[in-house]
Amino acid sequence: MKKIILTLFGIGLCLGSCSSDDDAVEISVCPPPIEYMTYPEVTTAGRATLAFKMGAREFISCLSSQCLPVESKITAESPIQPIYKMRYYLEAYTQQYVLRIIANNQRNYLDSFVLDYRSVNPIKEGDKLAFSGSQEDGVVFAIYNSSVDQRSYGCTEGEIEIVKLDTENKIMSGIFNFKAEDQNNRNNIITAKAGRFDILYRPM
């Protein structure tokens, strides 16, 4: 009996805290707390994670428990917005293998990381792909858009190592690091370390 009374009392507090108007007929329900993912380990099982560190700041893009794959992108019902989409495919008219990733930070959707890679050679497990500041074949071109200082950073150097590529289950996993320049001030440079991704990709 005491447990039932305490439960009802807790519900009453929640409803009371969500509605400040005592005369309101409509009853509001407190939303569930947002559960953010902690910094992920390096995995190779298609855990749907992408993360890197910039000093004390962390960029974490992942799937919440409510997320389900829908067509070409990953989406969540609530509370987290769509986090990333990834494609790896052979482009028909150029006969180049293309890797594209668009990821958003789980804590700030305006923080984004966009990566583009293309080559006549397919990506293989164990490959090391170099970052470059120019969009050339065989190198990784990437942009980090920071909502903290409202700047875009172009990756100028660094490397991605492909730890696993499972073409049957569409899993690509890797580790990476990079340096990136502020596109409006080349002397403003950020360094990303301990990067890792373990992603389910979609062919074209």
Side-chain angles (χ1 to χ4, degrees):
M1 180 63 72
K2 289 183 178 179
K3 289 183 178 179
I4 295 174
I5 292 172
L6 288 173
T7 302
L8 292 173
F9 179 69
I11 294 173
L13 286 176
C14 180
L15 293 176
S17 64
C18 287
S19 177
S20 59
D21 187 355
D22 294 336
D23 297 326
V25 177
E26 185 177 345
I27 298 176
S28 300
V29 178
C30 290
I34 296 176
E35 295 184 4
Y36 292 113
M37 182 179 183
T38 56
Y39 203 78
E41 299 290 333
V42 175
T43 57
T44 58
R47 296 286 179 85
T49 57
L50 183 150
F52 54 89
K53 295 182 179 182
M54 298 163 289
R57 290 161 56 190
E58 294 180 343
F59 182 102
I60 303 175
S61 188
C62 65
L63 284 177
S64 69
S65 59
Q66 295 95 355
C67 292
L68 294 172
V70 177
E71 297 179 352
S72 64
K73 64 183 179 181
I74 303 299
T75 136
E77 295 174 1
S78 173
I80 301 175
Q81 294 292 321
I83 296 299
Y84 72 74
K85 56 184 177 181
M86 175 177 179
R87 287 183 175 176
Y88 174 57
Y89 60 94
L90 176 62
E91 196 171 60
Y93 69 94
T94 63
Q95 287 299 294
Q96 290 182 321
Y97 292 87
V98 178
L99 170 64
R100 287 194 176 129
I101 300 175
I102 302 175
N104 299 92
N105 195 338
Q106 64 173 353
R107 290 184 178 273
N108 189 334
Y109 190 65
L110 296 178
D111 268 2
S112 65
F113 180 67
V114 181
L115 180 151
D116 188 87
Y117 171 85
R118 56 175 58 239
S119 173
V120 293
N121 300 312
I123 294 175
K124 302 186 299 297
E125 202 169 284
D127 277 355
K128 294 183 178 181
L129 313 176
F131 281 97
S132 173
S134 57
Q135 290 181 289
E136 301 174 4
D137 294 348
V139 295
V140 179
F141 178 78
I143 296 288
Y144 167 60
N145 297 303
S146 171
S147 64
V148 175
D149 51 15
Q150 301 293 312
R151 295 180 182 276
S152 293
Y153 295 86
C155 300
T156 55
E157 59 181 276
E159 185 179 78
I160 296 177
E161 180 179 350
I162 305 300
V163 177
K164 179 176 181 177
L165 179 58
D166 182 343
T167 55
E168 182 177 349
N169 295 304
K170 304 296 184 291
I171 296 173
M172 185 181 292
S173 308
I175 54 176
F176 63 93
N177 61 79
F178 63 81
K179 286 186 177 181
E181 293 179 352
D182 182 343
Q183 293 190 317
N184 292 321
N185 179 7
R186 291 187 175 182
N187 294 321
N188 185 16
I189 298 173
I190 61 170
T191 301
K193 298 181 178 180
R196 68 277 316 268
F197 63 89
D198 183 18
I199 298 180
L200 297 167
Y201 67 86
R202 183 174 186 260
M204 197 67 172

